[in-house]
Amino acid sequence: MVRSGGEAIPTGRATGGTGPARFRERFLQGEPVEAGVRTSILNSWQRCRSLGLSPDQSDLPFEEDFDSGGRIVRAAVPVLDRLQARFSGSTMNISLADASGTVLLRRFGEASLARSLPAIQRYPGFVFAEQVAGTNGIGLALAERQLIRVYGAEHFAERSQQSACLALPVRDPLNGGIEGILCFGYPRGAEAKALGAVIRRAAQAVERRLLEQSSGRERALLRAYLVTGAEAAVRPHHSVAVDELALELRPHDRAILMEKAAELISRAQRAAVDVSLPDGRRVTLVSRPMTIASGVQGFVVEAVLPGPSPGEPLAVPRQGDWVPGSSAGPAVVSTPSPARLSVAPPSGHPPDAAPGRVAADDRAVTADGAAGATDDHREPPPPARGLVLVGEPRVGTYALAARCRLELLSEASARVGTTLDVRRTAEELAETAVPRLADFVTVDLPEAVLRGEESADPVDDLRRTVVHGIRDDLPFTPVDKRVDFGPTTPQLRCLTNGQAVLEPDLKAAAGWLAQDPEHTEALLAHVHSLIAVPLLARGVVLGVASFYRAQEPTPYGDDDLSLAQELAARAALSIDNARRYTHERSMVLALQRRLLPHGLPDQDAVEVAHRYLPAESDVGGDWYDVIPLSGGRVGLLVGDVVGHGMLSAATMGRLRTAARSFAELDFPPDEVLIHLDNLVGRLDREDPDGEGTDIIGATCLYAIYDPTSQRCVLARAGHPPPALVRPDGAVSFPDLPAGPPLGLGGLPFDAVEIDLPEDSRLVLYTDGLIEDRHRDVDVVLDKLRGTLTHPDRTPEETCQAILDTVAPAHPCDDIALLVARTHALDPGRIATWDLPADPALVRQVRASALRRLTEWGLDETAFAAELILSELVTNAMRHGTGPIRVRLLYDRTLICEVSDSSNTAPHLRRAATTDEGGRGLFLVAQLSQSWGTRYISQGKVIWAECELAGA
């Protein structure tokens, strides 16, 4: 069996230890029963136990002075009479209770049934609220505020074990609040599927009659107003209705008057209030009471318009008992239904005709009711008056509250979710709700959600994320502290059920009080009503929002619950979007950092410091690299892939890898950019969609610094130029040819060579450092120039100073920063010999090299270096062209270089056993740590590095 909401209903005997009875017995013995009992029933049992109720209790409170003639009774009597006729001859017990659980009416399908029932099930006046009667249909329907079925042993009390009941709240159609509970009671075995439809139709019939009662009072108020107008019509008057001023008042102007009139009715006070229209005119709205014969009091609002002379002051009808309009706003009572406000029908229609306009003629009614003068030579007629609205203050309050709710929801759509930050979105929810819905709001989110992940168990890792209210001194759990909710608390119930929980009176909320008596007692001195709403989005539980009311004396109702649910639903969707974004951003950032250098290579050419700062909104494709090159040189690389997200980060990784490969081939900077340009163009052409929707673009700056000559060669492809800081602190931005961005294809790149004395600093950066829509680029560059004029700073200190003073506070683009302080290789560690192409000179070169190695203390490396030099020089003389230069560099390693003017590169091959030659480069490769060839403008250089002994 399944109940209306889809919740499985356990079946079984009420006694004998099976079905609901077995679970109830286990619960009463303190055993866990979560898996076998419906959630609503288990929650009710837990509340009963926390209240200290006994299942053996048989007596219930009795209210002798219950209202047996109230509006809910008048509306329900005919409906219950029809139900009694329908169930005639059955064992059905039909009851109607008020919003406090007190039974007001009883009907029986079989008259004899009443004589066999105990008094509490036979007479009106007994209270069945859950806190006194335990789990039952009426009490649980009030607690859950929805259709409820309770079967046999699901009742907490022993007296009801053989019964079943079906209960449904009856709501006021105007404000949505619960007016009463309609309940069917019957023997446990008499369940019928049709009962759910029957009780819904019956509740709807009662609600329609409640609405008719309100409409009847409003019609009576309108008739009373028209009668008053008819009595005044025997005297000359000049009266118009607002609708007749269509040529003078635009629709927006009339809407302003109607809105203000609803506010005046909701205040229930005499008032005369000036309303300013957008075009500068003023209209006075006058509210006064109207009372019908039955004693129902309403208010009528009339508009008093300026007289015929524009220069005359606005005349307001005078009544001795009018009270000036107060500036205080009306009390707000929320309602999910629009208010029913009446507008007067045209003159001559019967009093109960459809609402319309009041006719006008050329007569006027003075303020005191006397006939006005008709002589044109006398004073001009008083200002015209027209009916705007007639209604009850209660209904006017609902209309005003409904508009306020719509305004709050409209504001929430604009204020909540302005950022993709989980915590900030939760704060925006709280700031929107305070003070118009709640005086205090707390938001609790799992730690996993704050990290951008889905929480496996949102109850176990909840953290207080937001505390916001009209004051800061309430004893709520502080932000960032772990929150543990007890099993009967509203927050845990709503997280478990996925449904919002309303606790109108926290002093009577046993589950909330039982969580932490000391803490809740301190809060009760300030708050009195609570709505707990789960934050659910796309089937994921994101946390819980709690709305507390403190200043407003009226407790929360169902209308407030609906508003809180709507706010929470909108906020939950924004929080989930922020969570998903945070998750994706974390993945992209992890990929980005993984693709960036994890450490700097060992080299002595420059001292380097670097920084990478991701954008706040998204991660881009900025990168940097430091690449050791042959001859003790170093390559410095900074680039920026256009766009953000996973594609940019992945493209960055591909470009950085390719750039490093091209650089390690010893290509000059301009050629490296040409190869990267071809690669980017090829990536675009290889777009799998074939549409080019995500065109890849990038900028790049590549510099090669040679510590032996203290010169630097630079080239850029659409990238900002570097900053150069001389040893004396002078700062300049070298005028490098800009070059096109990578990916355009077919355009050349130009390289520039500059001198960099020792202790100069080269600062490379991406455009995120200097380009910001809120700042002028020239101003930022001046600030960068001022920051760099400190030659005593280390590269690390320079990096930090740049981020502190130049970088934007909230970067909208990634920032990659590379600061390199240059070193120079000691000339005493450089040995050079220029030779003609004469094989007889090989021996002299070896001898000179051995002497220099001895001077450097590299005797242990001399053998390998001698063989390497002998093979390289011999190879250059046989296969190259002169002149030939031999150079030894003593750095971290011993570098042997032989250059000639030929562009023919040697190739390593495996010589056969019968070959007489071809083993020279093989020996070089075996004796050296690394070797290679680089091309220069006058030919090529073949180099080999020997690891120093003991290094």
Side-chain angles (χ1 to χ4, degrees):
M1 186 178 296
V2 178
R3 75 178 180 92
S4 173
E7 195 174 351
I9 300 171
T11 58
R13 305 186 331 142
T15 58
T18 62
R22 178 173 59 88
F23 291 119
R24 177 174 175 271
E25 291 172 3
R26 289 175 54 189
F27 174 81
L28 294 177
Q29 293 172 5
E31 300 179 15
V33 294
E34 286 77 0
V37 182
R38 288 187 291 153
T39 303
S40 58
I41 299 298
L42 180 59
N43 289 338
S44 180
W45 286 357
Q46 291 174 338
R47 291 193 294 270
C48 293
R49 181 162 60 185
S50 64
L51 287 167
L53 298 180
S54 170
D56 299 325
Q57 181 179 352
S58 58
D59 57 333
L60 293 178
F62 182 78
E63 298 289 343
E64 296 183 355
D65 56 347
F66 67 91
D67 189 0
S68 60
R71 60 191 299 262
I72 182 66
V73 173
R74 296 196 304 272
V77 164
V79 178
L80 264 65
D81 289 343
R82 290 196 297 271
L83 288 173
Q84 184 177 25
R86 173 174 182 145
F87 293 111
S88 177
S90 70
T91 55
M92 186 67 68
N93 180 351
I94 307 164
S95 57
L96 175 76
D98 62 14
S100 65
T102 302
V103 175
L104 306 177
L105 292 174
R106 288 283 192 185
R107 295 289 189 273
F108 303 95
E110 177 61 48
S112 61
L113 176 65
R115 293 191 294 270
S116 62
L117 293 175
I120 60 174
Q121 298 182 22
R122 184 170 46 180
Y123 299 110
F126 286 96
V127 181
F128 281 83
E130 185 185 64
Q131 56 265 33
V132 294
T135 307
N136 68 92
I138 293 175
L140 193 52
L142 282 172
E144 298 286 334
R145 313 181 81 82
Q146 61 182 338
L147 180 67
I148 288 295
R149 288 182 171 93
V150 184
Y151 296 86
E154 290 183 333
H155 289 86
F156 188 75
E158 292 287 349
R159 62 174 179 271
S160 304
Q161 298 296 290
Q162 301 300 322
S163 302
C165 56
L166 179 68
L168 179 67
V170 177
R171 301 179 183 273
D172 187 328
L174 289 178
N175 69 357
I178 294 179
E179 286 288 314
I181 300 293
L182 185 62
C183 182
F184 293 171
Y186 46 89
R188 188 167 51 85
E191 169 68 15
K193 292 183 178 180
L195 286 181
V198 172
I199 198 169
R200 283 194 177 92
R201 288 196 298 269
Q204 291 170 0
V206 177
E207 290 170 355
R208 283 196 301 271
R209 291 181 57 81
L210 288 172
L211 184 60
E212 290 170 0
Q213 290 181 15
S214 298
S215 301
R217 290 196 297 272
E218 289 185 352
R219 288 196 296 270
L221 288 170
L222 182 58
R223 282 195 295 268
Y225 174 79
L226 294 177
V227 168
T228 303
E231 293 174 352
V234 300
R235 298 182 294 273
H237 72 283
H238 180 77
S239 178
V240 297
V242 170
D243 283 354
E244 288 183 345
L245 302 178
L247 297 178
E248 302 179 27
L249 294 177
R250 293 172 298 179
H252 182 62
D253 297 337
R254 294 198 300 274
I256 292 176
L257 295 179
M258 295 288 285
E259 182 178 326
K260 189 63 178 180
E263 182 178 338
L264 290 174
I265 291 176
S266 69
R267 293 187 182 187
Q269 68 180 87
R270 300 172 183 268
V273 179
D274 283 348
V275 179
S276 297
L277 299 179
D279 58 6
R281 289 184 297 167
R282 290 188 307 159
V283 176
T284 298
L285 293 183
V286 179
S287 64
R288 56 188 176 88
M290 295 287 299
T291 305
I292 61 177
S294 63
V296 174
Q297 186 180 61
F299 272 75
V300 59
V301 178
E302 296 174 302
V304 181
L305 298 105
S309 176
E312 295 179 359
L314 183 64
V316 179
R318 293 173 296 172
Q319 288 191 11
D321 55 350
W322 284 356
V323 179
S326 171
S327 61
V332 177
V333 180
S334 303
T335 171
S337 308
R340 300 175 55 86
L341 301 178
S342 303
V343 181
S347 177
H349 284 254
D352 56 351
R357 298 176 297 176
V358 176
D361 57 25
D362 57 353
R363 294 172 294 177
V365 178
T366 62
D368 56 3
T374 59
D375 191 340
D376 292 339
H377 299 287
R378 298 184 181 181
E379 295 181 3
R385 293 165 52 187
L387 174 65
V388 181
L389 287 178
V390 171
E392 292 182 75
R394 181 174 66 95
V395 179
T397 301
Y398 297 153
L400 183 64
R403 187 179 73 249
C404 292
R405 287 201 316 278
L406 290 175
E407 292 174 353
L408 181 58
L409 291 175
S410 176
E411 180 181 342
S413 64
R415 290 186 60 182
V416 180
T418 59
T419 68
L420 288 172
D421 181 81
V422 174
R423 189 180 296 272
R424 178 57 193 153
T425 304
E427 292 173 352
E428 289 170 343
L429 167 63
E431 292 168 358
T432 303
V434 175
R436 284 188 284 179
L437 174 62
D439 296 309
F440 300 94
V441 175
T442 64
V443 180
D444 305 309
L445 302 178
E447 241 183 307
V449 172
L450 294 172
R451 294 193 304 267
E453 305 168 4
E454 291 187 14
S455 176
D457 189 354
V459 177
D460 284 345
D461 63 344
L462 277 178
R463 293 278 174 178
R464 179 58 46 87
T465 307
V466 176
V467 177
H468 182 71
I470 57 177
R471 292 164 46 194
D472 298 330
D473 57 347
L474 263 66
F476 288 107
T477 302
V479 173
D480 293 330
K481 295 294 184 181
R482 183 181 175 88
V483 181
D484 294 315
F485 292 115
T488 60
T489 56
Q491 288 87 349
L492 188 64
R493 286 160 53 197
C494 79
L495 283 173
T496 304
N497 301 339
Q499 300 291 331
V501 176
L502 168 62
E503 292 288 1
D505 185 4
L506 285 176
K507 293 182 179 179
W512 184 75
L513 294 171
Q515 176 192 6
D516 184 352
E518 182 179 353
H519 183 246
T520 53
E521 184 178 354
L523 275 178
L524 279 178
H526 306 280
V527 299
H528 61 79
S529 194
L530 165 67
I531 297 176
V533 187
L535 297 172
L536 297 172
R538 302 181 180 97
V540 178
V541 179
L542 302 173
V544 59
S546 303
F547 302 85
Y548 294 88
R549 179 165 284 179
Q551 290 186 332
E552 172 63 41
T554 306
Y556 281 130
D558 285 343
D559 44 2
D560 302 300
L561 180 66
S562 300
L563 179 58
Q565 287 177 299
E566 181 66 23
L567 283 177
R570 297 188 182 196
L573 188 60
S574 297
I575 290 174
D576 191 49
N577 290 337
R579 179 192 65 81
R580 289 166 174 255
Y581 167 77
T582 302
H583 179 66
E584 181 177 347
R585 184 175 186 272
S586 299
M587 292 177 58
V588 175
L589 188 58
L591 174 63
Q592 172 85 334
R593 295 194 182 280
R594 184 66 181 173
L595 294 176
L596 288 173
H598 291 174
L600 297 178
D602 294 331
Q603 47 81 36
D604 292 329
V606 291
E607 180 185 353
V608 179
H610 58 88
R611 293 289 189 277
Y612 171 74
L613 185 65
E616 281 193 351
S617 58
D618 207 346
V619 179
D622 292 15
W623 87 92
Y624 60 88
D625 210 343
V626 178
I627 308 169
L629 301 176
S630 64
R633 300 169 305 141
V634 66
L636 304 175
L637 188 66
V638 170
D640 182 5
V641 175
V642 175
H644 297 85
M646 188 71 75
L647 176 62
S648 295
T651 304
M652 178 275 292
R654 300 175 71 177
L655 289 184
R656 175 179 172 260
T657 301
R660 188 177 187 92
S661 299
F662 296 144
E664 289 178 343
L665 290 174
D666 268 326
F667 291 142
D670 51 339
E671 290 190 26
V672 169
L673 296 183
I674 290 174
H675 287 292
L676 289 177
D677 181 60
N678 294 334
L679 174 63
V680 173
R682 188 162 58 252
L683 292 177
D684 276 335
R685 292 191 297 271
E686 294 173 355
D687 179 12
D689 297 331
E691 300 176 356
T693 55
D694 294 322
I695 297 177
I696 298 172
T699 65
C700 185
L701 171 63
Y702 182 38
I704 297 178
Y705 172 69
D706 188 346
T708 63
S709 63
Q710 300 179 40
R711 298 185 65 82
C712 184
V713 182
L714 306 96
R716 62 184 179 125
H719 201 84
L724 174 59
V725 186
R726 298 289 179 178
D728 59 358
V731 181
S732 63
F733 296 92
D735 186 15
L736 305 181
L742 300 177
L744 296 183
L747 297 175
F749 299 94
D750 296 322
V752 173
E753 187 173 1
I754 60 176
D755 291 325
L756 283 183
E758 187 174 11
D759 287 334
S760 297
R761 280 174 293 163
L762 192 64
V763 181
L764 287 69
Y765 52 86
T766 55
D767 57 2
L769 177 68
I770 61 173
E771 294 182 5
D772 185 5
R773 61 178 178 268
H774 303 297
R775 305 185 300 172
D776 184 82
V777 174
D778 293 334
V779 175
V780 178
L781 288 177
D782 288 340
K783 185 180 292 186
L784 176 60
R785 186 191 305 272
T787 304
L788 294 176
T789 55
H790 295 278
D792 54 330
R793 285 176 176 165
T794 65
E796 283 289 342
E797 293 171 344
T798 302
C799 273
Q800 193 59 47
I802 292 174
L803 292 184
D804 292 341
T805 60
V806 182
H810 303 283
C812 57
D813 195 6
D814 290 18
I815 297 174
L817 179 62
L818 196 65
V819 178
R821 183 165 65 185
T822 62
H823 297 310
L825 185 61
D826 184 357
R829 291 192 169 200
I830 303 174
T832 305
W833 299 274
D834 292 320
L835 306 173
D838 183 359
L841 298 177
V842 174
R843 181 177 180 179
Q844 298 179 13
V845 172
R846 291 203 307 265
S848 299
L850 285 174
R851 286 193 296 270
R852 184 56 61 95
L853 293 175
T854 301
E855 294 175 5
W856 289 342
L858 302 179
D859 296 327
E860 295 184 10
T861 312
F863 176 75
E866 180 182 9
L867 288 178
I868 290 173
L869 278 177
S870 178
E871 292 296 336
L872 293 181
V873 172
T874 301
N875 191 66
M877 290 184 175
R878 288 183 178 180
H879 304 288
T881 57
I884 298 173
R885 168 170 286 192
V886 178
R887 188 169 72 158
L888 292 179
L889 303 177
Y890 176 21
D891 196 14
R892 286 179 173 267
T893 59
L894 178 65
I895 303 172
C896 305
E897 294 182 347
V898 177
S899 62
D900 62 70
S901 57
S902 170
N903 290 324
T904 303
H907 296 283
L908 178 67
R909 68 185 179 89
R910 184 180 296 277
T913 55
T914 58
D915 291 341
E916 294 183 1
R919 296 176 177 83
L921 288 182
F922 179 77
L923 290 175
V924 171
Q926 294 298 312
L927 294 172
S928 64
Q929 179 177 307
S930 60
W931 75 279
T933 304
R934 71 173 182 270
Y935 292 91
I936 55 178
S937 58
Q938 297 83 18
K940 67 176 182 298
V941 176
I942 304 176
W943 56 270
E945 290 189 10
C946 296
E947 187 175 1
L948 300 180

